Each structure stands twice: as structure tokens, then as C-alpha cells.
Coordinates of all heavy atoms in Angstrom, one line a residue:
M1 N -23.5 -35.2 -20.0 CA -24.2 -34.1 -19.3 C -23.4 -33.7 -18.0 O -23.4 -32.5 -17.7 CB -25.6 -34.6 -18.9 CG -26.5 -33.6 -18.2 SD -26.8 -32.3 -19.4 CE -28.0 -31.4 -18.5
K2 N -22.8 -34.7 -17.4 CA -22.1 -34.4 -16.2 C -20.8 -33.5 -16.5 O -20.5 -32.6 -15.8 CB -21.6 -35.7 -15.5 CG -21.0 -35.6 -14.2 CD -20.8 -36.9 -13.5 CE -20.3 -36.8 -12.1 NZ -20.1 -38.0 -11.5
R3 N -20.2 -33.8 -17.6 CA -19.0 -33.0 -18.0 C -19.4 -31.6 -18.4 O -18.7 -30.6 -18.1 CB -18.3 -33.7 -19.2 CG -17.5 -34.9 -18.8 CD -16.8 -35.4 -20.0 NE -16.1 -36.6 -19.7 CZ -15.4 -37.4 -20.5 NH1 -15.4 -37.0 -21.8 NH2 -14.9 -38.5 -20.1
F4 N -20.5 -31.5 -19.0 CA -21.0 -30.1 -19.4 C -21.3 -29.3 -18.1 O -21.0 -28.1 -18.0 CB -22.3 -30.3 -20.2 CG -22.9 -29.0 -20.6 CD1 -22.3 -28.2 -21.6 CD2 -24.1 -28.5 -20.0 CE1 -22.8 -26.9 -21.9 CE2 -24.6 -27.3 -20.4 CZ -24.0 -26.5 -21.4
T5 N -21.9 -29.9 -17.1 CA -22.2 -29.2 -15.9 C -20.9 -28.8 -15.1 O -20.8 -27.7 -14.6 CB -23.1 -30.2 -14.9 OG1 -24.2 -30.6 -15.6 CG2 -23.5 -29.4 -13.7
I6 N -20.0 -29.7 -15.1 CA -18.7 -29.4 -14.5 C -18.0 -28.3 -15.2 O -17.4 -27.4 -14.6 CB -17.8 -30.7 -14.4 CG1 -18.4 -31.7 -13.4 CG2 -16.4 -30.3 -14.0 CD1 -17.7 -33.0 -13.4
G7 N -18.1 -28.3 -16.5 CA -17.5 -27.3 -17.3 C -18.1 -25.9 -17.1 O -17.4 -24.9 -17.0
L8 N -19.4 -25.9 -16.9 CA -20.1 -24.6 -16.6 C -19.8 -24.1 -15.2 O -19.6 -22.9 -15.0 CB -21.7 -24.9 -16.7 CG -22.3 -24.9 -18.1 CD1 -23.8 -25.2 -18.0 CD2 -22.0 -23.6 -18.8
V9 N -19.6 -25.0 -14.3 CA -19.2 -24.6 -12.9 C -17.8 -24.0 -12.9 O -17.6 -23.0 -12.3 CB -19.4 -25.8 -11.9 CG1 -18.7 -25.5 -10.6 CG2 -20.8 -26.2 -11.7
M10 N -16.9 -24.7 -13.6 CA -15.5 -24.2 -13.7 C -15.5 -22.9 -14.4 O -14.8 -21.9 -14.0 CB -14.6 -25.2 -14.4 CG -14.4 -26.5 -13.5 SD -13.4 -27.7 -14.3 CE -11.9 -26.9 -14.3
A11 N -16.2 -22.7 -15.5 CA -16.2 -21.4 -16.2 C -16.8 -20.3 -15.3 O -16.3 -19.2 -15.3 CB -17.0 -21.5 -17.5
G12 N -17.8 -20.6 -14.6 CA -18.4 -19.6 -13.6 C -17.4 -19.2 -12.6 O -17.3 -18.1 -12.2
M13 N -16.6 -20.2 -12.0 CA -15.6 -19.9 -11.0 C -14.5 -19.0 -11.6 O -14.1 -18.0 -11.0 CB -15.0 -21.2 -10.5 CG -16.0 -21.9 -9.6 SD -15.4 -23.6 -9.1 CE -13.8 -23.3 -8.5
L14 N -14.1 -19.3 -12.8 CA -13.0 -18.5 -13.4 C -13.5 -17.0 -13.7 O -12.8 -16.1 -13.5 CB -12.6 -19.1 -14.7 CG -11.7 -20.4 -14.6 CD1 -11.5 -21.0 -15.9 CD2 -10.4 -20.1 -13.9
L15 N -14.7 -16.9 -14.2 CA -15.3 -15.6 -14.5 C -15.5 -14.8 -13.3 O -15.2 -13.6 -13.2 CB -16.6 -15.7 -15.3 CG -16.4 -16.2 -16.8 CD1 -17.7 -16.4 -17.4 CD2 -15.5 -15.3 -17.6
S16 N -16.0 -15.4 -12.2 CA -16.3 -14.6 -11.0 C -15.0 -14.3 -10.3 O -14.9 -13.2 -9.7 CB -17.2 -15.5 -10.1 OG -16.5 -16.6 -9.6
G17 N -14.0 -15.1 -10.4 CA -12.7 -14.8 -9.8 C -12.0 -13.6 -10.4 O -11.4 -12.8 -9.8
S18 N -12.1 -13.5 -11.7 CA -11.5 -12.4 -12.4 C -12.2 -11.1 -12.2 O -11.6 -10.0 -12.1 CB -11.4 -12.6 -13.9 OG -12.6 -12.8 -14.5
A19 N -13.5 -11.2 -11.9 CA -14.3 -9.9 -11.7 C -14.0 -9.4 -10.3 O -14.1 -8.2 -10.0 CB -15.8 -10.2 -11.8
Q20 N -13.6 -10.3 -9.3 CA -13.3 -9.9 -8.0 C -11.8 -9.6 -7.8 O -11.4 -9.2 -6.7 CB -13.7 -11.0 -7.0 CG -15.2 -11.2 -7.0 CD -15.6 -12.4 -6.1 OE1 -14.8 -13.0 -5.6 NE2 -16.9 -12.6 -6.0
A21 N -11.0 -9.7 -8.8 CA -9.6 -9.5 -8.6 C -9.1 -8.1 -8.7 O -8.0 -7.8 -8.8 CB -8.8 -10.3 -9.7
Q22 N -10.0 -7.1 -8.6 CA -9.6 -5.7 -8.6 C -9.0 -5.3 -7.3 O -9.3 -5.8 -6.3 CB -10.9 -4.9 -8.9 CG -11.5 -5.1 -10.2 CD -12.7 -4.2 -10.4 OE1 -13.1 -3.5 -9.5 NE2 -13.4 -4.4 -11.5
R23 N -8.0 -4.4 -7.5 CA -7.2 -4.0 -6.3 C -8.1 -3.1 -5.4 O -8.7 -2.2 -5.9 CB -6.0 -3.2 -6.8 CG -5.3 -2.5 -5.7 CD -4.1 -1.7 -6.2 NE -3.0 -2.6 -6.3 CZ -1.8 -2.2 -6.8 NH1 -1.7 -1.0 -7.2 NH2 -0.8 -3.0 -6.8
I24 N -8.1 -3.4 -4.1 CA -8.8 -2.5 -3.1 C -7.7 -1.5 -2.7 O -6.6 -1.9 -2.2 CB -9.3 -3.4 -2.0 CG1 -10.3 -4.4 -2.5 CG2 -9.9 -2.5 -0.9 CD1 -10.8 -5.4 -1.4
Q25 N -8.1 -0.3 -2.8 CA -7.1 0.8 -2.4 C -7.7 1.6 -1.3 O -8.8 2.2 -1.4 CB -6.9 1.7 -3.6 CG -5.8 2.7 -3.3 CD -5.4 3.5 -4.6 OE1 -5.8 3.1 -5.7 NE2 -4.7 4.6 -4.5
Q26 N -6.9 1.7 -0.2 CA -7.4 2.5 1.0 C -6.9 4.0 0.7 O -5.9 4.2 0.1 CB -6.7 2.0 2.2 CG -7.2 0.6 2.6 CD -6.4 0.1 3.8 OE1 -5.4 0.7 4.2 NE2 -7.0 -0.9 4.4
K27 N -7.7 4.9 1.3 CA -7.3 6.3 1.2 C -6.2 6.6 2.3 O -6.5 6.6 3.5 CB -8.5 7.2 1.4 CG -9.5 7.1 0.3 CD -10.6 8.0 0.5 CE -11.6 7.9 -0.7 NZ -12.7 8.8 -0.6
M28 N -5.0 6.7 1.9 CA -3.9 7.0 2.8 C -3.1 8.2 2.4 O -3.0 8.5 1.2 CB -2.9 5.7 2.8 CG -3.6 4.5 3.3 SD -2.4 3.1 3.3 CE -2.8 2.4 4.8
G29 N -2.5 8.8 3.3 CA -1.6 9.9 3.0 C -0.2 9.5 2.8 O 0.2 8.4 2.8
R30 N 0.7 10.5 2.7 CA 2.1 10.2 2.5 C 2.8 9.6 3.7 O 3.7 8.8 3.5 CB 2.8 11.6 2.1 CG 4.2 11.5 1.9 CD 4.7 11.6 0.5 NE 3.9 12.3 -0.4 CZ 3.7 11.7 -1.6 NH1 4.1 10.5 -1.9 NH2 2.9 12.3 -2.5
S31 N 2.5 10.0 4.9 CA 3.0 9.4 6.1 C 4.6 9.5 6.2 O 5.3 8.6 6.2 CB 2.6 8.0 6.3 OG 1.2 7.9 6.5
V32 N 5.1 10.7 6.2 CA 6.5 11.0 6.3 C 7.0 10.6 7.7 O 6.3 11.0 8.7 CB 6.9 12.4 6.0 CG1 8.3 12.7 6.1 CG2 6.4 12.8 4.5
V33 N 8.1 9.9 7.8 CA 8.7 9.5 9.1 C 10.1 9.8 9.1 O 10.9 9.5 8.1 CB 8.5 8.0 9.3 CG1 9.1 7.6 10.6 CG2 7.0 7.6 9.3
A34 N 10.6 10.5 10.2 CA 12.0 10.8 10.3 C 12.5 10.1 11.6 O 11.9 10.3 12.7 CB 12.2 12.3 10.4
V35 N 13.6 9.4 11.6 CA 14.1 8.6 12.7 C 15.6 8.9 12.8 O 16.4 8.8 11.8 CB 13.9 7.1 12.5 CG1 14.5 6.3 13.7 CG2 12.5 6.8 12.3
S36 N 16.1 9.3 14.0 CA 17.5 9.5 14.3 C 17.9 8.5 15.3 O 17.2 8.1 16.2 CB 17.7 10.9 14.7 OG 17.1 11.2 16.0
G37 N 19.2 8.1 15.3 CA 19.8 7.2 16.3 C 20.2 8.0 17.5 O 20.2 9.2 17.5
N38 N 20.5 7.3 18.5 CA 20.9 7.9 19.8 C 22.2 8.6 19.6 O 23.3 8.0 19.3 CB 21.1 6.8 20.9 CG 19.8 6.2 21.3 OD1 18.7 6.8 21.1 ND2 19.8 5.0 21.8
G39 N 22.2 10.0 19.7 CA 23.4 10.8 19.6 C 23.9 10.9 18.2 O 25.0 11.5 18.0
S40 N 23.3 10.4 17.2 CA 23.7 10.4 15.9 C 23.3 11.7 15.2 O 22.3 12.3 15.5 CB 23.2 9.2 15.1 OG 23.5 9.4 13.7
Q41 N 24.2 12.2 14.3 CA 23.8 13.4 13.5 C 23.0 13.0 12.2 O 22.5 13.9 11.5 CB 25.1 14.1 13.1 CG 25.8 14.8 14.3 CD 25.0 15.9 14.8 OE1 24.4 16.7 14.1 NE2 24.9 15.9 16.1
N42 N 22.9 11.7 11.9 CA 22.2 11.3 10.8 C 20.7 11.1 11.1 O 20.3 10.7 12.2 CB 22.7 10.0 10.2 CG 24.1 10.1 9.7 OD1 24.5 11.2 9.2 ND2 24.9 9.1 9.8
V43 N 19.8 11.3 10.1 CA 18.4 11.1 10.2 C 17.9 10.4 9.0 O 18.2 10.8 7.9 CB 17.7 12.5 10.3 CG1 16.2 12.3 10.4 CG2 18.2 13.3 11.5
L44 N 17.2 9.3 9.2 CA 16.6 8.5 8.1 C 15.2 9.1 7.9 O 14.4 9.2 8.8 CB 16.5 7.0 8.4 CG 15.7 6.2 7.4 CD1 16.4 6.1 6.1 CD2 15.4 4.8 8.0
I45 N 14.9 9.5 6.7 CA 13.6 10.0 6.3 C 13.0 9.1 5.3 O 13.6 8.8 4.2 CB 13.8 11.5 5.8 CG1 14.4 12.3 6.8 CG2 12.4 12.0 5.4 CD1 14.9 13.7 6.3
T46 N 11.8 8.7 5.6 CA 11.2 7.7 4.6 C 9.7 8.2 4.5 O 9.2 8.9 5.4 CB 11.3 6.3 5.1 OG1 10.7 5.4 4.2 CG2 10.6 6.1 6.5
W47 N 9.0 7.7 3.5 CA 7.6 8.1 3.2 C 7.0 7.0 2.4 O 7.6 6.2 1.7 CB 7.5 9.4 2.5 CG 8.3 9.5 1.3 CD1 7.9 9.2 0.0 CD2 9.7 10.0 1.1 NE1 8.9 9.4 -0.9 CE2 10.0 9.9 -0.2 CE3 10.6 10.4 2.0 CZ2 11.3 10.2 -0.7 CZ3 11.9 10.8 1.5 CH2 12.2 10.7 0.2
R48 N 5.7 7.1 2.3 CA 4.9 6.1 1.5 C 4.7 6.7 0.1 O 4.3 7.8 -0.1 CB 3.5 5.9 2.2 CG 2.6 5.0 1.4 CD 1.3 4.9 2.1 NE 1.4 4.2 3.4 CZ 1.0 4.8 4.5 NH1 0.4 6.0 4.5 NH2 1.1 4.1 5.7
K49 N 5.0 5.9 -0.9 CA 4.8 6.3 -2.3 C 3.3 5.9 -2.6 O 2.9 4.8 -2.3 CB 5.7 5.5 -3.2 CG 5.5 6.0 -4.6 CD 6.6 5.3 -5.5 CE 6.3 5.8 -6.9 NZ 7.3 5.4 -7.9
L50 N 2.6 6.9 -3.1 CA 1.2 6.7 -3.4 C 1.0 6.0 -4.7 O 1.7 6.1 -5.6 CB 0.5 8.1 -3.4 CG 0.6 8.9 -2.1 CD1 -0.1 10.2 -2.3 CD2 0.1 8.2 -0.9
A51 N -0.1 5.2 -4.7 CA -0.3 4.3 -5.9 C -0.6 5.1 -7.2 O -0.2 4.6 -8.3 CB -1.6 3.4 -5.6
Q52 N -1.1 6.3 -7.1 CA -1.4 7.1 -8.3 C -0.2 7.8 -8.8 O -0.3 8.4 -9.9 CB -2.6 8.0 -8.1 CG -2.4 9.0 -7.0 CD -2.9 8.5 -5.6 OE1 -3.0 7.3 -5.4 NE2 -3.3 9.4 -4.8
E53 N 0.9 7.8 -8.1 CA 2.1 8.5 -8.6 C 2.8 7.6 -9.7 O 2.9 6.4 -9.6 CB 3.1 8.7 -7.5 CG 2.5 9.7 -6.4 CD 3.5 9.9 -5.3 OE1 4.4 9.1 -5.1 OE2 3.2 10.8 -4.5
P54 N 3.4 8.3 -10.7 CA 4.1 7.5 -11.7 C 5.4 6.9 -11.1 O 5.9 7.4 -10.1 CB 4.4 8.6 -12.8 CG 4.3 9.9 -12.1 CD 3.4 9.7 -10.9
E55 N 5.9 5.9 -11.8 CA 7.1 5.2 -11.4 C 8.3 6.1 -11.3 O 9.2 5.9 -10.4 CB 7.4 4.0 -12.2 CG 6.5 2.8 -12.0 CD 6.6 2.3 -10.6 OE1 7.8 2.1 -10.1 OE2 5.6 2.0 -9.9
N56 N 8.5 7.0 -12.2 CA 9.6 7.9 -12.3 C 9.5 9.2 -11.5 O 10.2 10.2 -11.7 CB 10.0 8.2 -13.7 CG 8.8 8.9 -14.4 OD1 7.7 9.0 -13.9 ND2 9.1 9.4 -15.6
C57 N 8.6 9.2 -10.5 CA 8.3 10.3 -9.7 C 9.5 10.7 -8.8 O 10.1 9.8 -8.2 CB 7.1 10.1 -8.8 SG 6.5 11.5 -7.8
T58 N 9.8 11.9 -8.6 CA 10.9 12.4 -7.8 C 10.4 13.4 -6.7 O 9.4 13.9 -6.9 CB 12.1 13.0 -8.6 OG1 11.6 14.1 -9.3 CG2 12.7 12.0 -9.6
Y59 N 11.2 13.6 -5.7 CA 10.8 14.4 -4.6 C 11.9 15.4 -4.2 O 13.1 15.2 -4.5 CB 10.5 13.5 -3.3 CG 9.6 12.4 -3.6 CD1 10.0 11.1 -4.0 CD2 8.2 12.6 -3.5 CE1 9.1 10.1 -4.2 CE2 7.3 11.6 -3.8 CZ 7.8 10.3 -4.1 OH 6.9 9.3 -4.4
N60 N 11.5 16.4 -3.5 CA 12.5 17.4 -2.9 C 12.2 17.4 -1.4 O 11.0 17.3 -1.0 CB 12.3 18.8 -3.5 CG 12.8 18.9 -4.9 OD1 13.9 18.4 -5.2 ND2 12.1 19.6 -5.7
L61 N 13.2 17.5 -0.6 CA 13.1 17.5 0.8 C 13.5 18.9 1.4 O 14.5 19.4 1.0 CB 14.0 16.4 1.4 CG 14.0 16.3 2.9 CD1 12.6 15.7 3.3 CD2 15.0 15.3 3.4
Y62 N 12.6 19.4 2.2 CA 12.8 20.7 2.8 C 12.8 20.6 4.3 O 12.1 19.7 4.9 CB 11.7 21.7 2.4 CG 11.7 22.0 0.9 CD1 11.0 21.2 0.0 CD2 12.4 23.1 0.4 CE1 11.0 21.5 -1.3 CE2 12.4 23.4 -0.9 CZ 11.7 22.6 -1.8 OH 11.7 22.8 -3.1
K63 N 13.6 21.4 5.0 CA 13.5 21.5 6.5 C 13.4 22.9 6.9 O 13.7 23.9 6.2 CB 14.8 20.9 7.1 CG 16.0 21.7 6.9 CD 17.2 21.1 7.6 CE 18.4 21.9 7.4 NZ 19.6 21.4 8.2
R64 N 12.8 23.0 8.1 CA 12.7 24.3 8.8 C 13.1 24.2 10.2 O 12.5 23.5 11.0 CB 11.3 24.8 8.7 CG 11.1 26.2 9.3 CD 9.7 26.6 9.2 NE 8.9 25.9 10.2 CZ 7.6 25.9 10.4 NH1 6.9 26.5 9.6 NH2 7.1 25.2 11.3
P65 N 14.3 24.8 10.6 CA 14.7 24.7 11.9 C 13.7 25.3 12.9 O 12.9 26.2 12.5 CB 16.0 25.5 12.0 CG 16.5 25.6 10.6 CD 15.2 25.5 9.7
Q66 N 13.7 24.8 14.1 CA 12.7 25.3 15.1 C 12.9 26.8 15.3 O 14.0 27.3 15.5 CB 12.9 24.6 16.4 CG 11.8 24.8 17.4 CD 11.9 23.9 18.6 OE1 12.9 23.1 18.8 NE2 10.9 23.9 19.5
G67 N 11.8 27.5 15.3 CA 11.9 29.0 15.4 C 12.0 29.8 14.1 O 11.8 31.0 14.1
A68 N 12.4 29.1 13.1 CA 12.6 29.8 11.8 C 11.3 29.9 11.0 O 10.3 29.1 11.3 CB 13.6 29.0 10.9
T69 N 11.2 30.7 10.1 CA 10.0 30.9 9.3 C 10.1 30.4 7.9 O 9.2 30.1 7.2 CB 9.5 32.4 9.2 OG1 10.6 33.2 8.7 CG2 9.2 32.9 10.6
E70 N 11.4 30.3 7.4 CA 11.6 29.9 6.0 C 12.1 28.4 5.9 O 12.8 27.9 6.8 CB 12.7 30.7 5.4 CG 12.4 32.2 5.3 CD 11.3 32.5 4.3 OE1 11.3 31.8 3.2 OE2 10.4 33.3 4.6
F71 N 11.7 27.7 4.9 CA 12.1 26.3 4.6 C 13.4 26.4 3.7 O 13.5 27.2 2.9 CB 11.0 25.5 3.9 CG 9.9 25.2 4.7 CD1 8.8 26.0 4.9 CD2 9.9 24.0 5.4 CE1 7.7 25.7 5.7 CE2 8.8 23.6 6.3 CZ 7.7 24.5 6.4
T72 N 14.3 25.4 3.9 CA 15.5 25.3 3.2 C 15.5 23.9 2.5 O 15.2 22.9 3.2 CB 16.7 25.4 4.1 OG1 16.6 26.6 4.8 CG2 18.0 25.4 3.3
R73 N 15.8 23.9 1.2 CA 15.9 22.6 0.5 C 17.1 21.8 0.9 O 18.2 22.4 1.0 CB 15.9 22.9 -1.0 CG 15.9 21.6 -1.8 CD 15.7 21.9 -3.3 NE 16.0 20.8 -4.1 CZ 15.9 20.8 -5.4 NH1 15.5 21.8 -6.1 NH2 16.2 19.7 -6.1
V74 N 17.0 20.6 1.3 CA 18.0 19.7 1.8 C 18.8 19.0 0.7 O 20.0 19.0 0.7 CB 17.5 18.7 2.8 CG1 18.6 17.7 3.2 CG2 16.8 19.4 4.0
N75 N 18.1 18.5 -0.3 CA 18.8 17.7 -1.4 C 19.2 18.6 -2.5 O 18.6 19.6 -2.9 CB 17.8 16.6 -1.9 CG 16.5 17.1 -2.3 OD1 15.8 17.8 -1.6 ND2 16.1 16.8 -3.6
R76 N 20.3 18.2 -3.2 CA 20.8 18.9 -4.4 C 20.1 18.4 -5.6 O 19.7 19.1 -6.5 CB 22.3 18.8 -4.5 CG 23.1 19.6 -3.5 CD 24.6 19.5 -3.8 NE 25.1 18.2 -3.7 CZ 25.7 17.5 -4.6 NH1 26.0 18.1 -5.8 NH2 26.2 16.3 -4.4
L77 N 20.0 17.0 -5.7 CA 19.4 16.4 -6.8 C 18.0 15.8 -6.4 O 17.7 15.7 -5.2 CB 20.3 15.2 -7.3 CG 21.7 15.5 -7.7 CD1 22.5 14.3 -7.9 CD2 21.7 16.4 -8.9
H78 N 17.2 15.6 -7.4 CA 15.8 15.0 -7.0 C 16.0 13.7 -6.4 O 16.8 12.9 -6.8 CB 15.0 14.9 -8.3 CG 14.6 16.3 -8.9 ND1 13.7 17.1 -8.3 CD2 15.1 16.9 -9.9 CE1 13.6 18.2 -9.0 NE2 14.5 18.1 -10.0
V79 N 15.2 13.4 -5.4 CA 15.2 12.1 -4.6 C 14.2 11.2 -5.2 O 13.0 11.5 -5.4 CB 14.9 12.4 -3.1 CG1 14.9 11.2 -2.3 CG2 15.9 13.4 -2.6
R80 N 14.6 9.9 -5.3 CA 13.6 8.9 -5.8 C 13.2 7.9 -4.7 O 12.3 7.1 -4.9 CB 14.3 8.1 -7.0 CG 14.5 8.9 -8.2 CD 15.1 8.1 -9.3 NE 15.4 8.9 -10.5 CZ 14.6 9.2 -11.4 NH1 13.3 8.8 -11.4 NH2 14.9 10.0 -12.4
Q81 N 13.9 7.8 -3.6 CA 13.6 6.9 -2.6 C 13.9 7.5 -1.2 O 14.3 8.7 -1.1 CB 14.4 5.6 -2.8 CG 15.9 5.9 -2.8 CD 16.7 4.7 -3.4 OE1 16.1 3.8 -4.0 NE2 18.0 4.7 -3.1
C82 N 13.8 6.8 -0.1 CA 14.0 7.3 1.2 C 15.4 7.8 1.3 O 16.3 7.5 0.5 CB 13.7 6.3 2.3 SG 14.8 4.8 2.2
L83 N 15.7 8.7 2.3 CA 16.9 9.5 2.3 C 17.5 9.5 3.7 O 16.8 9.5 4.7 CB 16.5 10.9 1.9 CG 17.5 12.0 1.6 CD1 18.4 11.5 0.5 CD2 16.8 13.2 1.3
M84 N 18.9 9.5 3.8 CA 19.6 9.6 5.0 C 20.3 11.0 4.9 O 21.1 11.2 4.0 CB 20.6 8.5 5.2 CG 21.4 8.6 6.4 SD 20.6 8.1 7.9 CE 20.7 6.3 7.8
V85 N 20.0 11.9 5.9 CA 20.6 13.2 5.9 C 21.3 13.5 7.2 O 21.0 12.8 8.2 CB 19.6 14.3 5.6 CG1 19.0 14.1 4.2 CG2 18.5 14.3 6.6
R86 N 22.1 14.4 7.2 CA 22.7 14.9 8.5 C 21.9 16.1 9.0 O 21.4 16.9 8.2 CB 24.2 15.3 8.2 CG 25.1 14.1 7.9 CD 26.5 14.5 7.7 NE 27.2 14.9 8.9 CZ 27.6 14.1 9.9 NH1 27.3 12.8 9.8 NH2 28.2 14.5 11.0
R87 N 21.8 16.2 10.3 CA 21.1 17.3 10.9 C 21.8 18.6 10.7 O 22.9 18.8 10.6 CB 20.9 17.1 12.4 CG 19.9 16.0 12.7 CD 19.6 16.1 14.1 NE 19.5 14.7 14.6 CZ 19.3 14.4 15.8 NH1 19.1 15.3 16.7 NH2 19.2 13.2 16.2

């Protein structure tokens, strides 16, 4: 009887643990960040990849100089990860 009770407790622990193992997902945006070094012409651009995006997702990067109205595409090829560009 004791083994049966221990078996039931262990089975209950396993079942309850798997039911609670679902991923908790916060509502977050892309959070693009651009960082340049002191006096450097290079800029590191990084962003958060969202959980609902497919693994093979690619991006295009655009810039708009201050005072301009049009955006210009920076990258020639599709980008898969963070990027270092020249100003």
C-alpha cells in the first residue's frame, strides 16, 4: 500500500510539472538599438528577434538622415542578425 501511495504521489508530481512547463511570453516590441563608438564612423545596430518569427526570417535596414524625408536602404543583401554599418 505504501509503494502504491508513493507511486501515485510521484505520478501526480510528473503530470502537474508537465502541465506547468508552458513558456510564459511577455508582450515585447522589437527594441532596435544603435550604438556608435567615440569618434568612430561605425555603428552597431541590434534588435530583438520576436518569438513568433520563423528561424529563417531576414530583415532590411533603412536610414533617414536628419532633415530628410526619404528613407534609404542600407544593406544590399537581406540581414539575418545584428549589423555593423558605417555612418
Side-chain angles (χ1 to χ4, degrees):
M1 183 67 171
K2 188 174 186 178
R3 286 186 185 175
F4 179 72
T5 304
I6 292 173
L8 283 177
V9 169
M10 290 179 68
M13 288 172 47
L14 288 173
L15 291 175
S16 66
S18 63
Q20 295 176 356
Q22 295 178 0
R23 173 183 272 177
I24 298 173
Q25 185 174 348
Q26 297 177 343
K27 293 184 179 184
M28 298 179 135
R30 177 111 19 234
S31 298
V32 177
V33 177
V35 180
S36 64
N38 293 337
S40 174
Q41 291 294 315
N42 294 329
V43 178
L44 173 67
I45 301 168
T46 185
W47 55 88
R48 179 181 294 123
K49 184 173 181 175
L50 304 177
Q52 60 269 26
E53 293 177 347
E55 284 298 315
N56 59 352
C57 185
T58 60
Y59 307 92
N60 287 318
L61 181 68
Y62 295 87
K63 70 176 183 178
R64 185 182 71 189
Q66 191 171 7
T69 57
E70 298 294 320
F71 287 89
T72 305
R73 185 171 163 179
V74 175
N75 55 305
R76 288 185 298 122
L77 302 174
H78 292 287
V79 178
R80 294 184 184 273
Q81 56 194 18
C82 62
L83 190 61
M84 180 77 80
V85 297
R86 295 184 67 77
R87 286 193 222 180

